[in-house]
Amino acid sequence: MKLSLLIGLGLVSGLEVYGQNVQKIDRIDTLNTHEKKIDEVVITALGIKKDKKTLGYAVQEVKGDVFEKAKEPNFINSLSGRVAGLNIKNSTDLFQDPGISLRGAKPLIVIDGVPDRTADLWRINADDIDNISVLKGPTASALYGSVGKDGAIMITTKKGKKGKMSISFNNSTMFQTSFIRIPKVQTTYGGGNNGKYAYIDGSGSGSEGGGWIWGPKLDQKDPTTPSGYYETPQYNSPIDPATGKPIPLPWISRGKNNIKNFFDTGVIQSNNLSVDWGSDKATFRLSLSNIYQKGIVPNTDLKTTSISLAGSMHPTEKLTINSTLTYNKEYTSNFPEVGYGPTNYLYNLVLWTGADVDVRDLRNYWVAGKEGYQQRHYNISYYNNPYFQAYEYLRPYYKDNVMGNVNLEYQIIPNLSAKARVGTNIYALNREYREPKSYIGYGNKSLGNYTQINGNYFDITSEVGLKYQKRFSDNFSLTGEGYVSNFYREQKNSEIRTDGLVSPGWYNLFNSIGPLFAPKAGNRKEFEQINSVYGYVDMEIYKAFFLNMTARYDKVSTLPKGNNGYFYPSVSGSVLLNQLITLPDWISFAKLRGSLAQVSNGKLANDTYGYIAAFEKSDVSWNGQSTFAFGDVLIDSNIKPETSNSWEIGTNISFLKSRINLDVAYYQTRDYNNLASIPLSEGVGYKTYLTNGNVFQRKGVEFTLNADVIKKSDFRWSTQLNLSHYRRYLKEAYGGKDYTTIYNAANGRNNFIRVEERADKLTAMPYETSPDGQLVLQNGYPVSSTAPFESNMGYSDPDWTYGLSNNFSYKNFSLSLLFDGRLGGTMYSTTNQKMWWGGIAPGTVNQYRDDANAGNNTYIAPGVRVVSGSITYDQNGNVKSDTRVFVQNDVAVNYNAYMQSTSNAFESNYHYYKQTFIKLREITVTYNFEKSFAEKLGVSSASVSLIGRNLWLASKIKNVDPDSGVDQLQTPATRSFGVNLNVKF
């Protein structure tokens, strides 16, 4: 029986003779030998500390010291690769939130046991983090109710340490000096169209070529001109006083290095000063922090400043008080606009500025004599001068955050204590958009504009309860806690903007040309309340069986009365095999675990008032009077909250005296009652019908392997491997249909998904192909498919997400390396598609383009054309009949026109690319000074580190960093190098 159990768990392989190869050892002695190594304490829901061995669900902890040296403005980026199942999609753009998903969903952020529903991670100072526990799955976080339905990231801050007063100073300074991925553009041809360009007035019309980069070849010799090169009028041509027309200038590649010449060296500087003090009665910690980031885009920055006061008190033996109060300010005078469009720097700098324009010449961005009124650029109808954007289109952002909590515990009798917690979260936000006169949007030139946005937020969580804890015997103990809780939130947002500016450059609401405009979407006031009763019971039996049960009942204000009370149960358990059976001496510890949970969402579509159908004020006025309209969404009167049922099994095994630790988890989640918006005929008075519809299944597997490879007195090497695999499937579609559409950020559109297919499928309508996969063309151009449904372009979720960290120490030196990345997964690249479309992609440099510029149609696209027959599809998109007869395509077309029409889509897989990459995420080399040397400097300890982030990237996708999983014209990805200094007094 013992052998079969071991083989079934995968713990023993290749045993020749069981009795000869496995020594029998007393299980009690085994447990005692390794008890200290396996009795790891972790932070769980409500901030409760528990032995990890007792948990029936997966939890992974990250110590706060990993954030201390190689700093990021947002600490969550430093979690990349460190937790199995936690996928961090880092953005290359300044002040943009990274994408965070835990087992395919967004987890709850909890700070010192109090949920942070705003999830603003920029305000959390990395130096204040003591540790982070990632609670995976709803079982681990069910006590938080609906906000904890997808797991939680538990952040515990430092509270001070017992001992004499100590002062610590930590400085990290990093420079973003080079790029690991940057768009590579062609510099052979300049702006214009069909090989022609001549500047007229900057309108883009006529000989200016419509703003395309399909113009004449650059650097062409012409002995008949003064310069010896082909010459043509350009935006910076001097004006001939006799004719009043621009004087032709050499058509040469002045802007070969426009991208590098425009971007600056970025800087990330972090400073922290903290004071710790502690005694038997109290501990205290004061922390002052500042992070400054200078963006690589000129005139952009980000600053965050934090003051944190935390501590604990034991005024009597029975009373314990823990408290934290933090003030944080996020502020910037300007940060870049992101996304494809005229407000994006890369839109103007990479896609629509050819090498004929030297970006350095654009630093003088006002037309002489028209300062404040007209920007200076080669095209003033479609595009913005990048420097004009950087220094005139400003987006100030000021946010004041206050977070605080107080926790009390009073021991009533030896086994019973009373507990209370109050936590609050407050912020005030002020944003501005200062749009200068002559700024270009899509097809319009601004008269100047000023927008002011204000937001105020307040929430408070109050709870009180009892804790009972008793060991009845050596073989049984019980712990339980029960609470009543109240959550209250109010949020106010206001937005108002001008209707043009009377005096350009004066950004004031009083300066509006017309009436001020207050958009409906930006002006809102919300209130929310949740009353709850919840608790848990933990049982330990024979020091081998552990059972945990939780229950929570919420009554919410965000659903209709009579249907606004919901129950959240969970149960989990674990079994210590090493307490029950005799294991080989090379197995230190072995545990099986499992869990079940059900959690529902307390809102419809995450809208506080989403369940209410009512009249709303419209943005349109009539004869100076406000107008109102009834909503265009019909809400199902029997609509139910979205609900998830989840189960998980796993194991944790330690080998070789706990030198090697393996944790494996497998989970499945059924998401049902998901909301669906069903299109309606507008004749019924509504556009959509909101009801419960699609059913999804999520499942995945996670591996975490920790190993102390070498463990000697003067040299140590430890490593950790995190590996996770995740899938989501459509199991049912609304109305019994066999398909639906699902929005996916990886290609920015709704995608066609069939029942039983992966929900992350990316689809698009392709061109027609022959049975052997060749492109079908007509008149030399691709033929669009007539199939009723779109085709599969790939899947956005990777096959595997991984992280590998190694830590080495030799005497006073230490080295840490972190690699992470993804295997598989697909994303759409707007950057690559637009580069081919606009004529800036290096692949557009060829003889066909030269021929097209000369007026010759010589490009014959690879593929076939149809000479007879046709293809038909059935209602499911399957080929019903195909009688087509093909011959090789022999129709020559204009290469430039072909690329403007197709963006080279067929040859580039429609610009869907694999996300697979590996990145050297972090490297830190540290020297710890000898204590005797540190004392000579007047400090108790000191260390200096060479640090680097994002130093190397390997990926097959061109021009963009696939880290974010989304490309809507992203900022080039940079390396960061620097130094960290850590001193304690």
Side-chain angles (χ1 to χ4, degrees):
M1 179 179 176
K2 294 179 179 179
L3 178 60
S4 63
L5 280 171
L6 292 170
I7 293 176
L9 292 171
L11 305 180
V12 176
S13 61
L15 293 181
E16 296 178 1
V17 182
Y18 175 65
Q20 296 176 7
N21 292 334
V22 181
Q23 290 184 336
K24 294 184 177 180
I25 52 178
D26 186 83
R27 64 174 179 266
I28 297 177
D29 291 342
T30 303
L31 181 65
N32 290 337
T33 301
H34 305 295
E35 194 164 19
K36 291 183 180 179
K37 296 180 180 178
I38 64 177
D39 280 358
E40 181 183 354
V41 176
V42 295
I43 304 296
T44 64
L46 308 182
I48 299 169
K49 295 181 179 180
K50 293 186 179 182
D51 288 339
K52 190 174 182 180
K53 69 180 181 181
T54 69
L55 302 179
Y57 47 81
V59 177
Q60 196 166 345
E61 192 172 47
V62 179
K63 299 297 184 183
D65 55 9
V66 305
F67 308 110
E68 289 183 353
K69 294 182 171 62
K71 297 290 183 62
E72 290 274 357
N74 191 324
F75 83 93
I76 204 73
N77 293 326
S78 298
L79 282 178
S80 295
R82 299 189 188 275
V83 178
L86 181 65
N87 192 1
I88 308 295
K89 294 186 175 181
N90 300 275
S91 174
T92 60
D93 298 304
L94 179 69
F95 204 23
Q96 296 302 304
D97 290 330
I100 308 171
S101 65
L102 180 60
R103 295 184 173 180
K106 190 171 183 178
L108 171 69
I109 304 299
V110 181
I111 304 172
D112 291 327
V114 180
D116 176 14
R117 289 167 168 84
T118 66
D120 181 3
L121 299 175
W122 297 93
R123 64 185 183 174
I124 299 173
N125 173 40
D127 290 285
D128 293 334
I129 297 174
D130 184 49
N131 66 72
I132 292 177
S133 289
V134 180
L135 309 184
K136 304 177 185 180
T139 304
S141 52
L143 279 175
Y144 289 115
S146 62
V147 293
K149 66 188 291 288
D150 297 308
I153 297 178
M154 307 285 297
I155 301 168
T156 303
T157 60
K158 297 174 181 177
K159 303 295 190 300
K161 298 178 181 179
K162 182 178 178 180
K164 66 177 183 179
M165 180 180 291
S166 65
I167 301 174
S168 299
F169 175 73
N170 191 337
N171 168 271
S172 292
T173 303
M174 303 180 74
F175 299 93
Q176 296 172 305
T177 58
S178 59
F179 300 100
I180 59 172
R181 188 57 55 90
I182 190 171
K184 294 182 179 179
V185 302
Q186 62 84 10
T187 58
T188 305
Y189 304 90
N193 199 14
N194 294 318
K196 296 178 176 58
Y197 178 83
Y199 180 80
I200 304 173
D201 56 8
S203 66
S205 60
S207 60
E208 292 185 11
W212 295 99
I213 314 298
W214 289 100
K217 208 167 191 177
L218 298 162
D219 304 318
Q220 297 303 293
K221 300 286 187 179
D222 185 348
T224 65
T225 65
S227 65
Y229 288 94
Y230 165 73
E231 295 181 352
T232 187
Q234 297 173 52
Y235 78 100
N236 54 352
S237 292
I239 302 300
D240 187 332
T243 65
K245 295 182 178 180
I247 298 173
L249 292 177
W251 187 252
I252 57 176
S253 52
R254 301 178 179 88
K256 283 189 174 182
N257 296 309
N258 276 342
I259 298 177
K260 293 182 178 178
N261 287 337
F262 176 73
F263 288 109
D264 291 338
T265 296
V267 178
I268 304 173
Q269 187 173 66
S270 171
N271 292 286
N272 175 258
L273 179 66
S274 63
V275 179
D276 278 85
W277 173 84
S279 68
D280 292 334
K281 291 290 185 180
T283 62
F284 165 89
R285 184 175 188 270
L286 174 66
S287 172
L288 307 175
S289 298
N290 175 263
I291 299 176
Y292 167 73
Q293 181 176 10
K294 176 181 177 292
I296 64 172
V297 174
N299 198 38
T300 60
D301 63 10
L302 174 64
K303 298 172 279 274
T304 60
T305 299
S306 298
I307 303 173
S308 179
L309 180 63
S312 63
M313 295 178 60
H314 304 277
T316 69
E317 290 185 2
K318 294 185 176 183
L319 179 63
T320 301
I321 303 172
N322 292 293
S323 183
T324 301
L325 179 64
T326 299
Y327 168 77
N328 167 270
K329 187 177 186 68
E330 305 162 35
Y331 52 110
T332 171
S333 57
N334 188 36
F335 67 99
E337 188 96 359
V338 299
Y340 180 81
T343 56
N344 186 299
Y345 296 90
L346 273 294
Y347 178 91
N348 300 285
L349 180 65
V350 174
L351 297 184
W352 305 112
T353 299
D356 53 294
V357 176
D358 185 347
V359 71
R360 292 170 294 186
D361 178 65
L362 299 176
R363 285 176 177 160
N364 182 12
Y365 52 78
W366 290 117
V367 172
K370 297 183 179 181
E371 290 81 2
Y373 285 85
Q374 179 57 59
Q375 65 168 301
R376 174 177 172 266
H377 200 25
Y378 84 93
N379 183 307
I380 56 174
S381 294
Y382 307 150
Y383 315 122
N384 291 295
N385 179 321
Y387 286 103
F388 174 75
Q389 282 181 282
Y391 289 96
E392 297 297 331
Y393 177 55
L394 304 181
R395 307 203 309 157
Y397 182 102
Y398 303 94
K399 187 180 181 187
D400 295 280
N401 302 285
V402 176
M403 299 174 289
N405 65 80
V406 179
N407 296 269
L408 298 92
E409 182 171 1
Y410 182 79
Q411 197 74 41
I412 303 172
I413 56 177
N415 298 313
L416 183 67
S417 59
K419 299 180 74 174
R421 176 189 291 118
V422 177
T424 190
N425 180 6
I426 305 168
Y427 74 70
L429 171 65
N430 176 263
R431 296 192 65 178
E432 298 178 42
Y433 291 81
R434 301 178 182 180
E435 185 179 283
K437 189 176 179 63
S438 77
Y439 190 77
I440 303 299
Y442 273 116
N444 69 301
K445 185 181 293 187
S446 177
L447 296 174
N449 236 326
Y450 176 61
T451 301
Q452 193 174 86
I453 299 173
N454 292 288
N456 290 278
Y457 179 95
F458 168 81
D459 78 36
I460 185 167
T461 301
S462 307
E463 47 197 25
V464 61
L466 296 172
K467 176 182 178 181
Y468 179 79
Q469 185 175 19
K470 184 173 181 179
R471 176 165 289 279
F472 293 91
S473 70
D474 290 340
N475 297 325
F476 181 74
S477 69
L478 183 144
T479 301
E481 296 189 37
Y483 293 87
V484 292
S485 173
N486 173 265
F487 167 76
Y488 174 78
R489 173 182 71 91
E490 67 177 54
Q491 186 168 356
K492 304 172 187 177
N493 296 311
S494 64
E495 177 179 348
I496 191 167
R497 61 174 179 258
T498 60
D499 183 28
L501 297 179
V502 176
S503 300
W506 182 33
Y507 296 104
N508 190 289
L509 296 174
F510 183 73
N511 192 33
S512 181
I513 294 174
L516 297 175
F517 177 61
K520 176 183 69 175
N523 290 273
R524 187 178 175 96
K525 190 174 184 179
E526 293 183 0
F527 298 93
E528 179 183 358
Q529 184 164 322
I530 304 174
N531 295 314
S532 309
V533 178
Y534 63 88
Y536 75 90
V537 174
D538 284 347
M539 288 184 285
E540 176 193 308
I541 304 170
Y542 289 104
K543 297 184 180 179
F545 300 96
F546 301 90
L547 180 67
N548 171 263
M549 294 175 288
T550 74
R552 179 177 178 122
Y553 181 82
D554 283 351
K555 197 122 185 182
V556 302
S557 66
T558 51
L559 291 171
K561 290 183 178 180
N563 199 28
N564 63 337
Y566 296 97
F567 182 61
Y568 311 96
S570 81
V571 60
S572 63
S574 62
V575 180
L576 303 187
L577 297 178
N578 52 295
Q579 287 286 75
L580 300 177
I581 59 176
T582 302
L583 299 176
D585 59 356
W586 48 272
I587 299 178
S588 314
F589 173 78
K591 180 181 87 169
L592 290 178
R593 64 174 186 265
S595 64
L596 294 166
Q598 181 183 80
V599 185
S600 297
N601 193 349
K603 296 180 182 178
L604 299 183
N606 203 33
D607 186 347
T608 303
Y609 303 115
Y611 68 98
I612 299 175
F615 282 96
E616 295 183 358
K617 186 177 182 294
S618 172
D619 285 338
V620 179
S621 61
W622 179 259
N623 198 26
Q625 298 296 316
S626 298
T627 62
F628 294 81
F630 201 76
D632 57 10
V633 178
L634 176 62
I635 302 173
D636 184 349
S637 59
N638 294 316
I639 200 165
K640 300 178 180 64
E642 297 171 307
T643 303
S644 297
N645 287 339
S646 180
W647 61 268
E648 173 186 338
I649 57 172
T651 184
N652 178 225
I653 309 170
S654 297
F655 306 94
L656 305 178
K657 297 183 179 180
S658 297
R659 292 279 292 275
I660 301 175
N661 293 275
L662 174 66
D663 189 283
V664 182
Y666 176 81
Y667 62 90
Q668 280 195 19
T669 300
R670 183 175 181 265
D671 301 316
Y672 60 98
N673 288 339
N674 291 278
L675 299 181
S677 294
I678 311 304
L680 295 175
S681 169
E682 292 193 34
V684 302
Y686 298 93
K687 290 183 178 180
T688 57
Y689 177 55
L690 184 65
T691 185
N692 299 114
N694 306 324
V695 177
F696 297 95
Q697 181 191 61
R698 288 181 280 151
K699 58 183 180 180
V701 62
E702 298 159 354
F703 300 89
T704 299
L705 179 67
N706 291 278
D708 292 323
V709 183
I710 300 175
K711 199 172 183 180
K712 296 184 176 180
S713 59
D714 59 352
F715 179 68
R716 295 194 173 196
W717 172 21
S718 62
T719 186
Q720 183 185 75
L721 172 66
N722 293 301
L723 195 62
S724 61
H725 169 84
Y726 163 80
R727 290 289 181 260
R728 182 173 181 243
Y729 298 91
L730 174 66
K731 304 302 290 185
E732 298 176 24
Y734 171 78
K737 291 184 178 180
D738 64 352
Y739 68 91
T740 190
T741 58
I742 300 174
Y743 178 81
N744 195 319
N747 65 351
R749 63 192 301 272
N750 288 316
N751 298 269
F752 174 82
I753 313 293
R754 293 185 183 276
V755 172
E756 299 297 337
E757 286 187 329
R758 288 172 56 176
D760 62 318
K761 186 173 74 169
L762 303 173
T763 64
M765 188 58 75
Y767 300 127
E768 289 282 11
T769 58
S770 62
D772 61 353
Q774 295 187 74
L775 177 64
V776 174
L777 302 111
Q778 184 178 9
N779 298 323
Y781 286 87
V783 176
S784 296
S785 174
T786 58
F789 298 117
E790 298 178 343
S791 295
N792 185 6
M793 298 290 122
Y795 301 92
S796 60
D797 291 327
D799 298 324
W800 294 96
T801 301
Y802 64 91
L804 176 64
S805 61
N806 284 278
N807 295 280
F808 305 88
S809 63
Y810 176 71
K811 295 184 177 179
N812 292 346
F813 288 93
S814 64
L815 167 67
S816 66
L817 297 165
L818 174 63
F819 293 86
D820 71 281
R822 297 192 284 271
L823 299 175
T826 301
M827 61 183 283
Y828 179 79
S829 173
T830 297
T831 300
N832 282 287
Q833 183 263 315
K834 299 300 183 184
M835 287 176 68
W836 277 95
W837 184 50
I840 205 72
T844 63
V845 178
N846 51 54
Q847 185 60 45
Y848 299 115
R849 183 166 181 170
D850 290 340
D851 295 341
N853 287 352
N856 299 318
N857 299 339
T858 61
Y859 182 68
I860 300 175
V864 296
R865 60 185 177 87
V866 179
V867 294
S868 65
S870 63
I871 184 172
T872 59
Y873 298 89
D874 64 19
Q875 62 181 2
N876 294 317
N878 301 312
V879 176
K880 188 175 180 180
S881 68
D882 189 354
T883 61
R884 296 173 297 175
V885 177
F886 304 99
V887 296
Q888 206 67 29
N889 178 47
D890 56 3
V891 179
V893 296
N894 182 285
Y895 178 80
N896 298 355
Y898 184 91
M899 288 302 160
Q900 290 177 24
S901 173
T902 69
S903 301
N904 200 39
F906 187 77
E907 298 297 326
S908 304
N909 192 39
Y910 302 93
H911 296 289
Y912 285 84
Y913 300 88
K914 289 295 182 185
Q915 295 184 43
T916 299
F917 74 92
I918 181 172
K919 182 176 285 190
L920 176 53
R921 183 72 64 181
E922 183 175 305
I923 182 170
T924 304
V925 181
T926 300
Y927 178 75
N928 294 291
F929 291 97
E930 293 283 356
K931 187 173 182 179
S932 58
F933 180 78
E935 290 174 349
K936 291 180 180 178
L937 298 176
V939 299
S940 60
S941 65
S943 68
V944 62
S945 304
L946 300 177
I947 52 180
R949 292 277 299 174
N950 304 314
L951 299 183
W952 172 75
L953 169 68
S955 170
K956 289 186 177 180
I957 184 172
K958 296 180 179 179
N959 300 310
V960 298
D961 184 346
D963 199 343
S964 64
V966 177
D967 171 32
Q968 287 292 331
L969 203 57
Q970 60 181 236
T971 300
T974 58
R975 298 179 177 88
S976 299
F977 303 88
V979 178
N980 171 265
L981 177 64
N982 199 328
V983 179
K984 293 184 179 181
F985 299 89

